[in-house]
Amino acid sequence: MMLAMDVVDTLRHQEGLAIRELGQADRDAALRQRLRSLYESQGLAVSDAILDAGIAALKESRFTYTPPRPGLAVTLATLWVRRAAVAKVAAILVVAVVAVVAVFSWSSGEAERAAEEARIELGERLPARLEAAEAAALAEARDTAAVAAVRNAVADARTALGRADAEAARAGIEAVERLRDEIVRTYEIRVVSRPGEPSGVFRIPDANEGARNYYLIVEAVGPSGDVLSLPVTSEEDQATRVVSRWGLRVPEAAFEAVRRDKEADGIVDDRVVGEKPRGSLDPVYTVRATGGAILEW
């Protein structure tokens, strides 16, 4: 049997010869003789029986592996043989699927929580905050202008709530709260009287070069003596800025009175020209001020 297998092995290495010879059954004897000569050249003696067995085995493909045809059984067998690699791939897929499901579930949960939070804010928290801000502001308002400003700001905030615009509603509520803070704040408007700083200036308007507009340089001083910064609108370009000093337009007589006061000893003794009372948004002036202002001089 071992010799027969050796014959088959030899015939495999001589594939071209084997195919040609085995394709002609009537020339088996010639094939046998050629094989015998091949072995004798290697110093091997092989009997006819062994040669015939080898030739027969080669014809039957007894020692040749023929792969099975593809099918379910072959596929399952291949998966079983490669089960370690398949298990790793399957584990990776399972982990990926679990991760995707977890992320989707978390995202869905976050969206639901965000929607619920928005509903509570628009339906409960913001309306309650607006109601409290309105009540606090109206409780402090003492004149019609302050009351009207509060009611207008409240109406804007309620409109934003009605269209479910949380950002605009918060901004509207903050405006009401700022109004309340402004209504309760008190301060005096004083003429600036410091070395090296002007206490008043005048402008020659472009429209009438023969006229002059007079301004006192003023600042807002709180009850504790601190200088406040306020939003002031310039009458020259309508720009509004938060400033600590501005020019308050006054009649020439008020301007001249301050000029004479400062020329006397370098100090403005009668500095207070207005006061902002609690409960109001606008100051009350002790001079006949027009309310016009400038921000640069």
Side-chain angles (χ1 to χ4, degrees):
M1 181 59 69
M2 292 296 294
L3 287 173
M5 292 174 63
D6 188 43
V7 170
V8 173
D9 185 61
T10 300
L11 291 176
R12 277 203 194 95
H13 286 81
Q14 298 290 332
E15 183 179 1
L17 172 64
I19 291 175
R20 288 195 302 273
E21 296 299 337
L22 291 178
Q24 304 176 31
D26 56 346
R27 299 185 62 182
D28 284 350
L31 174 60
R32 185 184 304 109
Q33 182 58 41
R34 293 182 66 176
L35 289 174
R36 188 188 306 279
S37 299
L38 176 63
Y39 279 97
E40 288 177 352
S41 67
Q42 299 176 6
L44 298 174
V46 182
S47 66
D48 289 343
I50 293 300
L51 293 176
D52 290 340
I55 294 172
L58 184 61
K59 290 180 178 181
E60 296 172 1
S61 298
R62 188 183 305 170
F63 304 108
T64 303
Y65 172 73
T66 302
R69 293 181 179 179
L72 178 60
V74 173
T75 301
L76 294 176
T78 302
L79 292 176
W80 174 253
V81 171
R82 300 177 180 174
R83 57 186 178 277
V86 172
K88 291 180 181 178
V89 174
I92 293 173
L93 291 176
V94 169
V95 171
V97 171
V98 170
V100 170
V101 172
V103 170
F104 178 77
S105 300
W106 178 81
S107 300
S108 299
E110 282 294 303
E112 292 176 359
R113 285 189 291 273
E116 179 64 13
E117 178 67 18
R119 185 193 66 79
I120 293 174
E121 183 177 27
L122 285 169
E124 300 176 17
R125 286 200 291 264
L126 289 180
R129 181 181 167 189
L130 176 59
E131 185 177 349
E134 178 185 15
L138 290 177
E140 294 290 345
R142 294 290 181 269
D143 59 34
T144 55
V147 172
V150 172
R151 295 197 183 282
N152 288 337
V154 170
D156 291 341
R158 287 207 174 104
T159 299
L161 284 173
R163 63 173 185 268
D165 189 341
E167 183 176 355
R170 282 192 292 268
I173 294 170
E174 290 169 1
V176 177
E177 293 169 343
R178 286 195 299 271
L179 275 174
R180 188 266 176 190
D181 294 340
E182 182 61 26
I183 287 171
V184 301
R185 182 162 58 172
T186 62
Y187 54 84
E188 290 181 343
I189 298 179
R190 302 178 185 177
V191 177
V192 173
S193 180
R194 285 187 288 272
E197 295 188 32
S199 298
V201 297
F202 65 84
R203 287 275 206 271
I204 299 177
D206 294 336
N208 184 4
E209 295 183 355
R212 287 187 178 185
N213 295 332
Y214 296 92
Y215 301 89
L216 296 178
I217 308 304
V218 298
E219 59 191 3
V221 181
S224 61
D226 53 323
V227 177
L228 307 179
S229 293
L230 304 176
V232 179
T233 301
S234 171
E235 67 178 0
E236 293 182 328
D237 57 9
Q238 304 307 308
T240 300
R241 298 206 308 265
V242 177
V243 295
S244 58
R245 293 178 303 164
W246 68 97
L248 176 67
R249 186 172 178 181
V250 295
E252 181 180 3
F255 177 86
E256 289 296 332
V258 171
R259 183 181 64 78
R260 290 191 297 269
D261 186 356
K262 190 171 184 178
E263 284 181 347
D265 55 5
I267 299 173
V268 179
D269 296 309
D270 190 9
R271 294 181 58 196
V272 178
V273 294
E275 180 182 4
K276 193 274 182 188
R278 184 185 181 107
S280 175
L281 289 173
D282 300 317
V284 177
Y285 293 101
T286 58
V287 296
R288 192 164 55 87
T290 64
I294 58 175
L295 304 180
E296 297 177 352
W297 49 86

